[in-house]
Amino acid sequence: MRLPILASAACLFLAACQAGSEEPFVGFGADPNIPSPQRSLLPRVNPAKAVGWPDGAMPTAPEGFVVTRFAGDLAHPRWLLVLPNGDVLVSEASSEPKPPEGLMDRIAQRVQRYAGALKPSPNRILLLRDADGDGVAEIQSVFAEGLNRPQGMALVGETLYIANTDALVATSWRPGQTRMEGTPVKVADLPAGELNHHWVKNVVASSDGTRLFVTSGSNSNIAENGMAAEENRAAILEVDPATGAVRLYASGLRNPNGMAFEPVTGALWTAVNERDMLGDDLVPDYMTRVQAGGFYGWPYSYFGQIVDERVQPQRPDLVAQAIKPDYGLGPHTASLGIAFYEAEAFPARYRGGMFVGQHGSWNRKPLSGYRVVFVPFEGGMPAGEAEAFLTGFLNDRDQAMGRPVDVAVDGLGGLLVTDDAGRAVWRVAPAR
């Protein structure tokens, strides 16, 4: 169920953190293996302790590529936006400590803190500028502050949209600008409130800028807080920037995060974190095309029409409509940011494919995620097996030196990767 229920497993917390060998691609593909559910009285609790990067250490890319620390000493960097002039914006936000509501919540916060995910939120956006193109941002300054756990950003003309946890806001932008001017204007309220389980919001704009798409994660694992708490959640919302009107665009997506438009078909894709407590190999996170009006199963079913019998009362009418996701990304990988590669700097086989940032599991043994994967595409659809692209985020004790979050292609064709536990933005480019 949702994270506070993990208190019953407190006695297993440290014992579960022993090292294990990661299984590379369990639960990947268009038709991943979906095993029978494994239910138990105590859930798996196995977070990787966040320890940071030793001096001189960094992730590993495939042969022929070089990794540089584009920016370091950041405060929980999350989402990226590459601006038309080559500047890069990165949001800094995190889950925040609060007075625990009993023992269960106290243990839940301990798990988050151990994994490097609980700290005072920076609530700001930084500007990173690499003027000489050497793969390192020599300018690193505060672009905006005083925000409310900002995450995704989208630029339409000279308007910058920022997805705070509770509202979509807008501010002006011009090329070369290094700091937000004035106070951002609210465009639309977003689901939040005292109970705000999956607080992250992301935003992308349609090609003509007339529609904004915003992710809104569920308030629970399987709606155990009631469906009233899930209004406009487990969904992608469509916002009219001119009026602020919000409508449900697609639903049944437990915790959607990354969004991107596929370059061949123009279809909107998203990466989704699926439900927990059904075993180490259930349920695979996934990426999928987002159909307007589509329903993707949560909470009543998963990976199409596989019924989750824990959810009561059931809704067979909705299960019958559930759309099977296009591509599994592995169980509990916490797949977050996605980016299609449309530049020309990488070898040709990468063009049109998708990079996915996998933040990593907290409830699986062996660990899963903690890397950036690449999925080749052809004709607008995944075409081939996933490949590990950026790895080495775990040390030999299964501690997290870093945790990938978002991915983006910069103006020179390099791949940028935010690393919140490692307090860095990495850049991957072909070796010269």
Side-chain angles (χ1 to χ4, degrees):
M1 312 316 178
R2 76 182 172 98
L3 193 55
I5 292 178
L6 298 177
S8 60
C11 61
L12 300 181
F13 175 69
L14 293 177
C17 294
Q18 57 189 308
S21 58
E22 181 182 343
E23 296 174 304
F25 291 106
V26 173
F28 275 73
D31 290 297
N33 178 50
I34 304 293
S36 299
Q38 302 294 317
R39 299 179 61 182
S40 62
L41 293 177
L42 296 178
R44 173 80 72 189
V45 184
N46 186 33
K49 182 178 181 179
V51 296
W53 293 92
D55 289 344
M58 61 181 58
T60 302
E63 185 177 355
F65 289 89
V66 63
V67 180
T68 57
R69 188 187 296 263
F70 186 75
D73 296 321
L74 306 182
H76 217 254
R78 296 287 291 177
W79 231 251
L80 294 159
L81 178 66
V82 178
L83 297 170
N85 69 332
D87 287 349
V88 177
L89 298 181
V90 56
S91 59
E92 294 183 318
S94 67
S95 297
E96 295 181 303
K98 60 181 181 179
E101 300 175 1
L103 177 62
M104 291 190 298
D105 199 24
R106 188 181 305 276
I107 300 302
Q109 291 194 38
R110 183 185 176 191
V111 171
Q112 290 179 304
R113 187 174 291 109
Y114 188 84
L118 191 70
K119 57 186 68 179
S121 182
N123 294 335
R124 65 184 186 178
I125 295 172
L126 298 184
L127 181 138
L128 309 176
R129 178 175 294 169
D130 175 16
D132 58 8
D134 66 350
V136 177
E138 63 272 11
I139 294 177
Q140 182 174 309
S141 61
V142 175
F143 178 84
E145 53 193 338
L147 302 168
N148 188 5
R149 287 196 278 180
Q151 185 85 354
M153 298 159 286
L155 183 66
V156 178
E158 295 185 346
T159 300
L160 175 66
Y161 295 95
I162 302 168
N164 283 329
T165 189
D166 60 349
L168 183 67
V169 300
T171 186
S172 61
W173 175 85
R174 65 180 185 278
Q177 181 178 342
T178 59
R179 190 167 180 91
M180 181 176 69
E181 298 174 353
T183 302
V185 176
K186 183 165 69 174
V187 177
D189 289 315
L190 300 176
E194 185 175 352
L195 180 64
N196 194 18
H197 181 46
H198 289 123
W199 57 267
V200 170
K201 306 295 194 299
N202 186 23
V203 57
V204 296
S206 63
S207 59
D208 61 5
T210 62
R211 296 181 297 164
L212 301 171
F213 299 94
V214 179
T215 61
S216 178
S218 70
N219 237 340
S220 60
N221 182 38
I222 51 168
E224 62 271 14
N225 296 318
M227 290 304 291
E230 305 296 348
E231 183 178 0
N232 275 353
R233 285 185 173 268
I236 290 177
L237 309 175
E238 182 184 274
V239 179
D240 181 344
T243 65
V246 178
R247 78 177 184 99
L248 196 65
Y249 185 76
S251 60
L253 301 155
R254 179 178 174 266
N255 186 21
N257 280 272
M259 292 184 290
F261 292 97
E262 197 281 319
V264 173
T265 65
L268 176 64
W269 282 70
T270 189
V272 178
N273 295 177
E274 253 290 357
R275 68 202 73 200
D276 301 319
M277 315 306 177
L278 289 176
D280 287 340
D281 293 337
L282 280 182
V283 172
D285 293 345
Y286 61 85
M287 62 184 189
T288 193
R289 292 166 294 177
V290 183
Q291 299 183 29
F295 175 71
Y296 291 81
W298 188 90
Y300 307 105
S301 65
Y302 54 87
F303 236 85
Q305 300 174 358
I306 304 172
V307 173
D308 190 336
E309 297 180 352
R310 300 172 298 174
V311 181
Q312 298 297 328
Q314 271 291 325
R315 287 289 305 272
D317 56 326
L318 289 178
V319 171
Q321 302 173 30
I323 299 169
K324 181 182 176 182
D326 287 310
Y327 196 92
L329 291 171
H332 312 295
T333 56
S335 296
L336 299 179
I338 60 175
F340 287 101
Y341 192 81
E342 299 182 63
E344 297 183 356
F346 283 19
R349 72 183 197 85
Y350 289 100
R351 293 171 199 167
M354 182 186 284
F355 288 98
V356 184
Q358 298 196 315
H359 200 224
S361 61
W362 60 266
N363 57 348
R364 184 177 190 269
K365 184 180 178 184
L367 298 171
S368 60
Y370 299 95
R371 61 191 170 192
V372 174
V373 300
F374 173 75
V375 180
F377 269 59
E378 184 175 333
M381 292 296 293
E385 296 183 356
E387 308 167 17
F389 183 78
L390 193 64
T391 60
F393 288 87
L394 296 173
N395 64 21
D396 58 5
R397 299 177 60 190
D398 270 1
Q399 297 170 326
M401 296 180 289
R403 303 184 74 186
V405 183
D406 193 24
V407 290
V409 180
D410 69 17
L412 298 177
L415 184 73
L416 300 176
V417 180
T418 49
D419 173 0
D420 58 4
R423 304 178 60 200
V425 176
W426 304 102
R427 184 176 189 268
V428 187
R432 295 179 179 177

